[in-house]
Amino acid sequence: MSTDNCILGRQTFPPPLRSPGSSKSSTRHSSNGSNASLPTIAEVPEDVDTQGDPYVKIGFHGVLESSYCTGFAILAAIGGFALGYNQGLMPVSLITEQIITQFPQIDLNFLAAITQLGGFLGALIMGSVADHCARKRSIGIAAVVFISGFVFQTISMNYTMLVVARLVGGIAIGMLSVITPIYISEISPPEIRGSLLVLTDVLIALGTMASFWISVATGHMDGEEIWRLPFVFLVIPGLILGIGAICMPFSPRWLASRFENQQALYCLSKLRQLCPDNCKVQNEWMEIRVEVAYQREITEARHPLLQGKSYINGIKLELQLWLDCFKTRYWYRTHVGIGVMFFQQFVGVKALAYNVPILLGTLGVSIDIQIATPGIFAAVHLLGALTCLWTIDTFGRKRVLISGSSLMLVCLIIIAGLNSKFSDNWSSHPDAGWCCVGISILCILAFGASWSPVSWALPSEVFPSTLRVKGGALSACSYWLYDFLSSLVTRSLFSKSKWGTYAFFAGFCLLSAFWAAHFVPETTGRKLEEIYKLFGDTEELVREGQKKTDIRRTLANEYAPEPFISPGGTPTNGFRFV
């Protein structure tokens, strides 16, 4: 293939390819009815394995090879850094003598709950915003809210202002917890999509670690700077994310959903670092368009009376799309998204973070080391997440989750046994105490290498294009809800029995392994448009596959009808199934 036309810096397209044996013109009708010259998809025969020619290799080599896409994935993952920084900031900066003196009524648990409430609300908001705005614009909006919230936290003059600022900051974090993995999943090549999605968790762990050590470094200052300065640093990732959002490419899948097909092809070719007329790019571009046309038809068939362009119809359709996530066709996907977040919070990590500093105190460790424990855990978490950059696409999501659950189960059983025997007198059995600490660190490592990163990856993969943001939003909402509930449960259980608490979470580890083995779909290596094959019964899959094949063949044969306009005025690219 000639490289003369591989000029990706401008929105220019090479002479269109033709279908095999075709001599027709490749002029097509655009979504607004005007003629536009678009490259034609060369139809791939049914007996040809289109997966046999990947964009890049799996693993680190592929991540480095796809440098353009990886760079923007890292930029988007700064939203994860903001989330981790915010979470790591709470335990250290808000319990200093200076802030307690200025705000004597401060309640750390209440402020944490306010942040979690903000995260829940922000996730719901983003579930609607990201479908109407571009993905990159949604990131920019979240960055502006994020900067506003933490500027007000920095300059808070009274407790009410601090609480409101924490709520606004939580809303921004909640918005980013939805849109960050969605954007990364939609721009990534299927071979390294998992690795790039893991970057979200890598940056979360890095943000948690950075916020902790920055808070420790400012802890030697006098005056209000001891707690205000760590908030100032939060503006930096917000500014990087906000400015970076301007430079980010649009999601080609979002552009296709708006029938901006030429721009979708242009963005896709830049992300893949290939010419627009490259067969792999052309084939993926076609599959994206087929998916958009099919999902739009499904939506119109399910909600035919809500297609009018009135404000009321728009609100009703938006609510119906939220409800569709819980209906028969999609409930399994929603269950996967919510379930993976549930087990992320209930496999015992909160218990370790809560009890290990106390255990270190009974072993005679200095108060400085006890305070440093969250920072050490964050570093171990980061190390585990870095290993997942390779394992998630090499071994698959299911194996990573099952392996993580199994190792954590063994760790928690041992910790429960040690606590049942020695927790009343750790000082007399220091060897057992340090063994407990070491196994706790191993458990954190297993969590960081499995459930933590994979839980951010799966929800952004399993939903179809029309419900991807709403499904991701429901998963993120469940994350914030379960984060709140797990904190309450952990504190309540520890007040009754330490070993019983670890046994309780060990039971959830066992349950999580069973759930991952029997209910989690293996999305590794599949394009987002192929995920539907993992859900539904055989008859439904055959019917859906046949309809998509019909659409693809029609486009490949250069059938160019005028765009069909539904009674509600919705263009469907000329395809309508009854």
PDB file of all heavy atoms in Angstrom, residues 216-250:
ATOM      1  N   VAL A 216       2.633  14.565  54.361  1.00  0.00           N
ATOM      2  CA  VAL A 216       3.678  14.326  55.369  1.00  0.00           C
ATOM      3  C   VAL A 216       4.747  15.413  55.281  1.00  0.00           C
ATOM      4  O   VAL A 216       5.224  15.933  56.299  1.00  0.00           O
ATOM      5  CB  VAL A 216       4.288  12.932  55.177  1.00  0.00           C
ATOM      6  CG1 VAL A 216       5.533  12.767  56.048  1.00  0.00           C
ATOM      7  CG2 VAL A 216       3.266  11.848  55.506  1.00  0.00           C
ATOM      8  N   ALA A 217       5.123  15.790  54.047  1.00  0.00           N
ATOM      9  CA  ALA A 217       6.160  16.804  53.860  1.00  0.00           C
ATOM     10  C   ALA A 217       5.718  18.167  54.383  1.00  0.00           C
ATOM     11  O   ALA A 217       6.524  18.920  54.948  1.00  0.00           O
ATOM     12  CB  ALA A 217       6.537  16.907  52.385  1.00  0.00           C
ATOM     13  N   THR A 218       4.435  18.504  54.203  1.00  0.00           N
ATOM     14  CA  THR A 218       3.936  19.795  54.687  1.00  0.00           C
ATOM     15  C   THR A 218       3.575  19.748  56.173  1.00  0.00           C
ATOM     16  O   THR A 218       3.254  20.785  56.751  1.00  0.00           O
ATOM     17  CB  THR A 218       2.697  20.229  53.885  1.00  0.00           C
ATOM     18  OG1 THR A 218       1.657  19.230  54.024  1.00  0.00           O
ATOM     19  CG2 THR A 218       3.037  20.400  52.413  1.00  0.00           C
ATOM     20  N   GLY A 219       3.619  18.555  56.758  1.00  0.00           N
ATOM     21  CA  GLY A 219       3.243  18.430  58.162  1.00  0.00           C
ATOM     22  C   GLY A 219       4.184  19.125  59.119  1.00  0.00           C
ATOM     23  O   GLY A 219       3.852  19.323  60.295  1.00  0.00           O
ATOM     24  N   HIS A 220       5.374  19.495  58.655  1.00  0.00           N
ATOM     25  CA  HIS A 220       6.349  20.168  59.521  1.00  0.00           C
ATOM     26  C   HIS A 220       6.200  21.686  59.466  1.00  0.00           C
ATOM     27  O   HIS A 220       6.938  22.398  60.144  1.00  0.00           O
ATOM     28  CB  HIS A 220       7.766  19.773  59.101  1.00  0.00           C
ATOM     29  CG  HIS A 220       8.024  18.294  59.169  1.00  0.00           C
ATOM     30  ND1 HIS A 220       8.140  17.606  60.358  1.00  0.00           N
ATOM     31  CD2 HIS A 220       8.153  17.362  58.187  1.00  0.00           C
ATOM     32  CE1 HIS A 220       8.353  16.332  60.122  1.00  0.00           C
ATOM     33  NE2 HIS A 220       8.361  16.150  58.805  1.00  0.00           N
ATOM     34  N   MET A 221       5.256  22.163  58.661  1.00  0.00           N
ATOM     35  CA  MET A 221       5.055  23.611  58.575  1.00  0.00           C
ATOM     36  C   MET A 221       4.201  24.104  59.731  1.00  0.00           C
ATOM     37  O   MET A 221       3.534  23.324  60.413  1.00  0.00           O
ATOM     38  CB  MET A 221       4.376  23.966  57.244  1.00  0.00           C
ATOM     39  CG  MET A 221       5.195  23.615  56.018  1.00  0.00           C
ATOM     40  SD  MET A 221       4.327  24.076  54.495  1.00  0.00           S
ATOM     41  CE  MET A 221       5.552  23.619  53.268  1.00  0.00           C
ATOM     42  N   ASP A 222       4.222  25.393  59.912  1.00  0.00           N
ATOM     43  CA  ASP A 222       3.396  26.010  60.942  1.00  0.00           C
ATOM     44  C   ASP A 222       2.251  26.764  60.274  1.00  0.00           C
ATOM     45  O   ASP A 222       2.346  27.204  59.131  1.00  0.00           O
ATOM     46  CB  ASP A 222       4.226  26.990  61.781  1.00  0.00           C
ATOM     47  CG  ASP A 222       5.326  26.280  62.556  1.00  0.00           C
ATOM     48  OD1 ASP A 222       5.063  25.145  63.017  1.00  0.00           O
ATOM     49  OD2 ASP A 222       6.425  26.860  62.682  1.00  0.00           O
ATOM     50  N   GLY A 223       1.185  26.932  61.016  1.00  0.00           N
ATOM     51  CA  GLY A 223       0.067  27.706  60.510  1.00  0.00           C
ATOM     52  C   GLY A 223      -0.833  26.915  59.577  1.00  0.00           C
ATOM     53  O   GLY A 223      -0.765  25.684  59.483  1.00  0.00           O
ATOM     54  N   GLU A 224      -1.678  27.641  58.848  1.00  0.00           N
ATOM     55  CA  GLU A 224      -2.695  27.022  58.003  1.00  0.00           C
ATOM     56  C   GLU A 224      -2.103  26.335  56.778  1.00  0.00           C
ATOM     57  O   GLU A 224      -2.772  25.512  56.146  1.00  0.00           O
ATOM     58  CB  GLU A 224      -3.715  28.073  57.549  1.00  0.00           C
ATOM     59  CG  GLU A 224      -4.488  28.690  58.707  1.00  0.00           C
ATOM     60  CD  GLU A 224      -5.471  29.738  58.240  1.00  0.00           C
ATOM     61  OE1 GLU A 224      -5.510  30.009  57.021  1.00  0.00           O
ATOM     62  OE2 GLU A 224      -6.207  30.279  59.083  1.00  0.00           O
ATOM     63  N   GLU A 225      -0.859  26.660  56.416  1.00  0.00           N
ATOM     64  CA  GLU A 225      -0.249  26.049  55.244  1.00  0.00           C
ATOM     65  C   GLU A 225      -0.175  24.532  55.367  1.00  0.00           C
ATOM     66  O   GLU A 225      -0.149  23.814  54.368  1.00  0.00           O
ATOM     67  CB  GLU A 225       1.164  26.598  55.026  1.00  0.00           C
ATOM     68  CG  GLU A 225       1.213  28.063  54.611  1.00  0.00           C
ATOM     69  CD  GLU A 225       1.096  29.007  55.808  1.00  0.00           C
ATOM     70  OE1 GLU A 225       1.074  28.493  56.967  1.00  0.00           O
ATOM     71  OE2 GLU A 225       1.042  30.227  55.603  1.00  0.00           O
ATOM     72  N   ILE A 226      -0.159  24.045  56.609  1.00  0.00           N
ATOM     73  CA  ILE A 226      -0.006  22.612  56.828  1.00  0.00           C
ATOM     74  C   ILE A 226      -1.145  21.820  56.182  1.00  0.00           C
ATOM     75  O   ILE A 226      -0.957  20.680  55.747  1.00  0.00           O
ATOM     76  CB  ILE A 226       0.093  22.313  58.341  1.00  0.00           C
ATOM     77  CG1 ILE A 226       0.571  20.875  58.559  1.00  0.00           C
ATOM     78  CG2 ILE A 226      -1.241  22.537  59.038  1.00  0.00           C
ATOM     79  CD1 ILE A 226       0.843  20.556  60.013  1.00  0.00           C
ATOM     80  N   TRP A 227      -2.350  22.405  56.108  1.00  0.00           N
ATOM     81  CA  TRP A 227      -3.462  21.688  55.469  1.00  0.00           C
ATOM     82  C   TRP A 227      -3.938  22.353  54.180  1.00  0.00           C
ATOM     83  O   TRP A 227      -4.533  21.693  53.321  1.00  0.00           O
ATOM     84  CB  TRP A 227      -4.638  21.544  56.440  1.00  0.00           C
ATOM     85  CG  TRP A 227      -5.331  22.823  56.824  1.00  0.00           C
ATOM     86  CD1 TRP A 227      -5.028  23.634  57.869  1.00  0.00           C
ATOM     87  CD2 TRP A 227      -6.455  23.419  56.165  1.00  0.00           C
ATOM     88  NE1 TRP A 227      -5.883  24.702  57.917  1.00  0.00           N
ATOM     89  CE2 TRP A 227      -6.787  24.590  56.877  1.00  0.00           C
ATOM     90  CE3 TRP A 227      -7.224  23.075  55.057  1.00  0.00           C
ATOM     91  CZ2 TRP A 227      -7.829  25.423  56.513  1.00  0.00           C
ATOM     92  CZ3 TRP A 227      -8.280  23.904  54.688  1.00  0.00           C
ATOM     93  CH2 TRP A 227      -8.563  25.067  55.417  1.00  0.00           C
ATOM     94  N   ARG A 228      -3.668  23.644  54.004  1.00  0.00           N
ATOM     95  CA  ARG A 228      -4.105  24.296  52.764  1.00  0.00           C
ATOM     96  C   ARG A 228      -3.199  23.964  51.579  1.00  0.00           C
ATOM     97  O   ARG A 228      -3.671  23.820  50.449  1.00  0.00           O
ATOM     98  CB  ARG A 228      -4.161  25.814  52.954  1.00  0.00           C
ATOM     99  CG  ARG A 228      -5.223  26.291  53.939  1.00  0.00           C
ATOM    100  CD  ARG A 228      -5.376  27.801  53.879  1.00  0.00           C
ATOM    101  NE  ARG A 228      -6.232  28.304  54.956  1.00  0.00           N
ATOM    102  CZ  ARG A 228      -7.559  28.399  54.868  1.00  0.00           C
ATOM    103  NH1 ARG A 228      -8.173  28.020  53.755  1.00  0.00           N
ATOM    104  NH2 ARG A 228      -8.271  28.863  55.887  1.00  0.00           N
ATOM    105  N   LEU A 229      -1.893  23.844  51.826  1.00  0.00           N
ATOM    106  CA  LEU A 229      -0.959  23.621  50.728  1.00  0.00           C
ATOM    107  C   LEU A 229      -1.214  22.305  49.980  1.00  0.00           C
ATOM    108  O   LEU A 229      -1.158  22.291  48.740  1.00  0.00           O
ATOM    109  CB  LEU A 229       0.476  23.662  51.254  1.00  0.00           C
ATOM    110  CG  LEU A 229       1.582  23.686  50.186  1.00  0.00           C
ATOM    111  CD1 LEU A 229       1.396  24.869  49.237  1.00  0.00           C
ATOM    112  CD2 LEU A 229       2.955  23.736  50.846  1.00  0.00           C
ATOM    113  N   PRO A 230      -1.506  21.186  50.666  1.00  0.00           N
ATOM    114  CA  PRO A 230      -1.819  19.964  49.908  1.00  0.00           C
ATOM    115  C   PRO A 230      -3.013  20.128  48.969  1.00  0.00           C
ATOM    116  O   PRO A 230      -3.042  19.521  47.898  1.00  0.00           O
ATOM    117  CB  PRO A 230      -2.117  18.943  51.014  1.00  0.00           C
ATOM    118  CG  PRO A 230      -1.322  19.410  52.180  1.00  0.00           C
ATOM    119  CD  PRO A 230      -1.383  20.910  52.117  1.00  0.00           C
ATOM    120  N   PHE A 231      -3.997  20.955  49.347  1.00  0.00           N
ATOM    121  CA  PHE A 231      -5.121  21.212  48.453  1.00  0.00           C
ATOM    122  C   PHE A 231      -4.679  22.010  47.224  1.00  0.00           C
ATOM    123  O   PHE A 231      -5.228  21.832  46.129  1.00  0.00           O
ATOM    124  CB  PHE A 231      -6.230  21.968  49.192  1.00  0.00           C
ATOM    125  CG  PHE A 231      -7.030  21.117  50.133  1.00  0.00           C
ATOM    126  CD1 PHE A 231      -7.124  21.436  51.486  1.00  0.00           C
ATOM    127  CD2 PHE A 231      -7.694  20.004  49.677  1.00  0.00           C
ATOM    128  CE1 PHE A 231      -7.858  20.651  52.349  1.00  0.00           C
ATOM    129  CE2 PHE A 231      -8.438  19.200  50.539  1.00  0.00           C
ATOM    130  CZ  PHE A 231      -8.518  19.531  51.876  1.00  0.00           C
ATOM    131  N   VAL A 232      -3.702  22.893  47.401  1.00  0.00           N
ATOM    132  CA  VAL A 232      -3.217  23.688  46.269  1.00  0.00           C
ATOM    133  C   VAL A 232      -2.659  22.790  45.178  1.00  0.00           C
ATOM    134  O   VAL A 232      -2.894  23.015  43.981  1.00  0.00           O
ATOM    135  CB  VAL A 232      -2.136  24.690  46.746  1.00  0.00           C
ATOM    136  CG1 VAL A 232      -1.488  25.388  45.550  1.00  0.00           C
ATOM    137  CG2 VAL A 232      -2.751  25.721  47.696  1.00  0.00           C
ATOM    138  N   PHE A 233      -1.938  21.740  45.579  1.00  0.00           N
ATOM    139  CA  PHE A 233      -1.344  20.839  44.590  1.00  0.00           C
ATOM    140  C   PHE A 233      -2.403  20.122  43.753  1.00  0.00           C
ATOM    141  O   PHE A 233      -2.109  19.655  42.647  1.00  0.00           O
ATOM    142  CB  PHE A 233      -0.443  19.819  45.294  1.00  0.00           C
ATOM    143  CG  PHE A 233       0.875  20.380  45.741  1.00  0.00           C
ATOM    144  CD1 PHE A 233       1.107  20.670  47.078  1.00  0.00           C
ATOM    145  CD2 PHE A 233       1.887  20.626  44.828  1.00  0.00           C
ATOM    146  CE1 PHE A 233       2.320  21.186  47.491  1.00  0.00           C
ATOM    147  CE2 PHE A 233       3.111  21.144  45.230  1.00  0.00           C
ATOM    148  CZ  PHE A 233       3.330  21.429  46.567  1.00  0.00           C
ATOM    149  N   LEU A 234      -3.622  20.004  44.275  1.00  0.00           N
ATOM    150  CA  LEU A 234      -4.688  19.346  43.516  1.00  0.00           C
ATOM    151  C   LEU A 234      -5.058  20.126  42.259  1.00  0.00           C
ATOM    152  O   LEU A 234      -5.609  19.557  41.309  1.00  0.00           O
ATOM    153  CB  LEU A 234      -5.933  19.184  44.400  1.00  0.00           C
ATOM    154  CG  LEU A 234      -6.119  17.830  45.066  1.00  0.00           C
ATOM    155  CD1 LEU A 234      -7.316  17.854  45.998  1.00  0.00           C
ATOM    156  CD2 LEU A 234      -6.291  16.731  44.036  1.00  0.00           C
ATOM    157  N   VAL A 235      -4.790  21.418  42.259  1.00  0.00           N
ATOM    158  CA  VAL A 235      -5.118  22.229  41.086  1.00  0.00           C
ATOM    159  C   VAL A 235      -4.249  21.827  39.897  1.00  0.00           C
ATOM    160  O   VAL A 235      -4.674  21.937  38.736  1.00  0.00           O
ATOM    161  CB  VAL A 235      -4.947  23.729  41.411  1.00  0.00           C
ATOM    162  CG1 VAL A 235      -5.210  24.579  40.179  1.00  0.00           C
ATOM    163  CG2 VAL A 235      -5.896  24.126  42.545  1.00  0.00           C
ATOM    164  N   ILE A 236      -3.039  21.330  40.168  1.00  0.00           N
ATOM    165  CA  ILE A 236      -2.104  21.000  39.076  1.00  0.00           C
ATOM    166  C   ILE A 236      -2.661  19.905  38.172  1.00  0.00           C
ATOM    167  O   ILE A 236      -2.729  20.096  36.948  1.00  0.00           O
ATOM    168  CB  ILE A 236      -0.727  20.619  39.653  1.00  0.00           C
ATOM    169  CG1 ILE A 236      -0.123  21.821  40.388  1.00  0.00           C
ATOM    170  CG2 ILE A 236       0.202  20.130  38.536  1.00  0.00           C
ATOM    171  CD1 ILE A 236       1.186  21.510  41.087  1.00  0.00           C
ATOM    172  N   PRO A 237      -3.075  18.719  38.703  1.00  0.00           N
ATOM    173  CA  PRO A 237      -3.655  17.720  37.795  1.00  0.00           C
ATOM    174  C   PRO A 237      -4.928  18.217  37.135  1.00  0.00           C
ATOM    175  O   PRO A 237      -5.218  17.849  35.989  1.00  0.00           O
ATOM    176  CB  PRO A 237      -3.923  16.512  38.705  1.00  0.00           C
ATOM    177  CG  PRO A 237      -3.930  17.049  40.092  1.00  0.00           C
ATOM    178  CD  PRO A 237      -2.974  18.189  40.083  1.00  0.00           C
ATOM    179  N   GLY A 238      -5.695  19.075  37.831  1.00  0.00           N
ATOM    180  CA  GLY A 238      -6.890  19.635  37.219  1.00  0.00           C
ATOM    181  C   GLY A 238      -6.569  20.492  36.011  1.00  0.00           C
ATOM    182  O   GLY A 238      -7.228  20.409  34.963  1.00  0.00           O
ATOM    183  N   LEU A 239      -5.532  21.321  36.138  1.00  0.00           N
ATOM    184  CA  LEU A 239      -5.128  22.167  35.010  1.00  0.00           C
ATOM    185  C   LEU A 239      -4.587  21.329  33.859  1.00  0.00           C
ATOM    186  O   LEU A 239      -4.896  21.590  32.682  1.00  0.00           O
ATOM    187  CB  LEU A 239      -4.062  23.165  35.476  1.00  0.00           C
ATOM    188  CG  LEU A 239      -4.543  24.327  36.360  1.00  0.00           C
ATOM    189  CD1 LEU A 239      -3.358  25.129  36.865  1.00  0.00           C
ATOM    190  CD2 LEU A 239      -5.512  25.226  35.587  1.00  0.00           C
ATOM    191  N   ILE A 240      -3.772  20.335  34.178  1.00  0.00           N
ATOM    192  CA  ILE A 240      -3.239  19.463  33.123  1.00  0.00           C
ATOM    193  C   ILE A 240      -4.373  18.767  32.380  1.00  0.00           C
ATOM    194  O   ILE A 240      -4.389  18.692  31.142  1.00  0.00           O
ATOM    195  CB  ILE A 240      -2.268  18.429  33.720  1.00  0.00           C
ATOM    196  CG1 ILE A 240      -1.042  19.125  34.306  1.00  0.00           C
ATOM    197  CG2 ILE A 240      -1.856  17.399  32.674  1.00  0.00           C
ATOM    198  CD1 ILE A 240      -0.106  18.189  35.046  1.00  0.00           C
ATOM    199  N   LEU A 241      -5.343  18.288  33.137  1.00  0.00           N
ATOM    200  CA  LEU A 241      -6.467  17.576  32.528  1.00  0.00           C
ATOM    201  C   LEU A 241      -7.330  18.520  31.707  1.00  0.00           C
ATOM    202  O   LEU A 241      -7.765  18.178  30.595  1.00  0.00           O
ATOM    203  CB  LEU A 241      -7.297  16.912  33.625  1.00  0.00           C
ATOM    204  CG  LEU A 241      -8.249  15.793  33.208  1.00  0.00           C
ATOM    205  CD1 LEU A 241      -7.491  14.659  32.537  1.00  0.00           C
ATOM    206  CD2 LEU A 241      -9.001  15.276  34.428  1.00  0.00           C
ATOM    207  N   GLY A 242      -7.587  19.719  32.235  1.00  0.00           N
ATOM    208  CA  GLY A 242      -8.422  20.667  31.513  1.00  0.00           C
ATOM    209  C   GLY A 242      -7.783  21.142  30.220  1.00  0.00           C
ATOM    210  O   GLY A 242      -8.438  21.198  29.171  1.00  0.00           O
ATOM    211  N   ILE A 243      -6.496  21.494  30.282  1.00  0.00           N
ATOM    212  CA  ILE A 243      -5.794  21.935  29.073  1.00  0.00           C
ATOM    213  C   ILE A 243      -5.598  20.766  28.117  1.00  0.00           C
ATOM    214  O   ILE A 243      -5.755  20.893  26.895  1.00  0.00           O
ATOM    215  CB  ILE A 243      -4.445  22.574  29.442  1.00  0.00           C
ATOM    216  CG1 ILE A 243      -4.668  23.835  30.288  1.00  0.00           C
ATOM    217  CG2 ILE A 243      -3.634  22.903  28.188  1.00  0.00           C
ATOM    218  CD1 ILE A 243      -3.403  24.432  30.866  1.00  0.00           C
ATOM    219  N   GLY A 244      -5.290  19.593  28.687  1.00  0.00           N
ATOM    220  CA  GLY A 244      -5.088  18.407  27.847  1.00  0.00           C
ATOM    221  C   GLY A 244      -6.343  17.991  27.108  1.00  0.00           C
ATOM    222  O   GLY A 244      -6.263  17.452  25.995  1.00  0.00           O
ATOM    223  N   ALA A 245      -7.511  18.233  27.711  1.00  0.00           N
ATOM    224  CA  ALA A 245      -8.768  17.863  27.055  1.00  0.00           C
ATOM    225  C   ALA A 245      -8.943  18.595  25.730  1.00  0.00           C
ATOM    226  O   ALA A 245      -9.582  18.080  24.799  1.00  0.00           O
ATOM    227  CB  ALA A 245      -9.945  18.147  27.980  1.00  0.00           C
ATOM    228  N   ILE A 246      -8.377  19.790  25.630  1.00  0.00           N
ATOM    229  CA  ILE A 246      -8.458  20.546  24.379  1.00  0.00           C
ATOM    230  C   ILE A 246      -7.681  19.839  23.278  1.00  0.00           C
ATOM    231  O   ILE A 246      -8.090  19.833  22.103  1.00  0.00           O
ATOM    232  CB  ILE A 246      -7.918  21.976  24.585  1.00  0.00           C
ATOM    233  CG1 ILE A 246      -8.731  22.699  25.669  1.00  0.00           C
ATOM    234  CG2 ILE A 246      -7.942  22.763  23.286  1.00  0.00           C
ATOM    235  CD1 ILE A 246      -8.155  24.051  26.066  1.00  0.00           C
ATOM    236  N   CYS A 247      -6.573  19.215  23.652  1.00  0.00           N
ATOM    237  CA  CYS A 247      -5.704  18.559  22.669  1.00  0.00           C
ATOM    238  C   CYS A 247      -6.120  17.125  22.365  1.00  0.00           C
ATOM    239  O   CYS A 247      -5.670  16.551  21.367  1.00  0.00           O
ATOM    240  CB  CYS A 247      -4.263  18.546  23.174  1.00  0.00           C
ATOM    241  SG  CYS A 247      -3.621  20.174  23.635  1.00  0.00           S
ATOM    242  N   MET A 248      -6.941  16.531  23.215  1.00  0.00           N
ATOM    243  CA  MET A 248      -7.328  15.140  23.011  1.00  0.00           C
ATOM    244  C   MET A 248      -8.119  14.970  21.714  1.00  0.00           C
ATOM    245  O   MET A 248      -8.915  15.829  21.346  1.00  0.00           O
ATOM    246  CB  MET A 248      -8.200  14.651  24.176  1.00  0.00           C
ATOM    247  CG  MET A 248      -7.487  14.462  25.482  1.00  0.00           C
ATOM    248  SD  MET A 248      -8.650  13.935  26.770  1.00  0.00           S
ATOM    249  CE  MET A 248      -7.581  13.871  28.197  1.00  0.00           C
ATOM    250  N   PRO A 249      -7.924  13.846  21.023  1.00  0.00           N
ATOM    251  CA  PRO A 249      -8.774  13.571  19.870  1.00  0.00           C
ATOM    252  C   PRO A 249     -10.178  13.174  20.332  1.00  0.00           C
ATOM    253  O   PRO A 249     -10.349  12.672  21.447  1.00  0.00           O
ATOM    254  CB  PRO A 249      -8.072  12.390  19.193  1.00  0.00           C
ATOM    255  CG  PRO A 249      -7.343  11.706  20.305  1.00  0.00           C
ATOM    256  CD  PRO A 249      -6.918  12.796  21.258  1.00  0.00           C
ATOM    257  N   PHE A 250     -11.147  13.415  19.487  1.00  0.00           N
ATOM    258  CA  PHE A 250     -12.493  12.958  19.794  1.00  0.00           C
ATOM    259  C   PHE A 250     -12.518  11.429  19.782  1.00  0.00           C
ATOM    260  O   PHE A 250     -11.733  10.783  19.081  1.00  0.00           O
ATOM    261  CB  PHE A 250     -13.488  13.476  18.758  1.00  0.00           C
ATOM    262  CG  PHE A 250     -13.831  14.934  18.914  1.00  0.00           C
ATOM    263  CD1 PHE A 250     -13.141  15.898  18.198  1.00  0.00           C
ATOM    264  CD2 PHE A 250     -14.848  15.331  19.770  1.00  0.00           C
ATOM    265  CE1 PHE A 250     -13.451  17.244  18.329  1.00  0.00           C
ATOM    266  CE2 PHE A 250     -15.157  16.669  19.906  1.00  0.00           C
ATOM    267  CZ  PHE A 250     -14.468  17.630  19.187  1.00  0.00           C
TER     268      PHE A 250
END
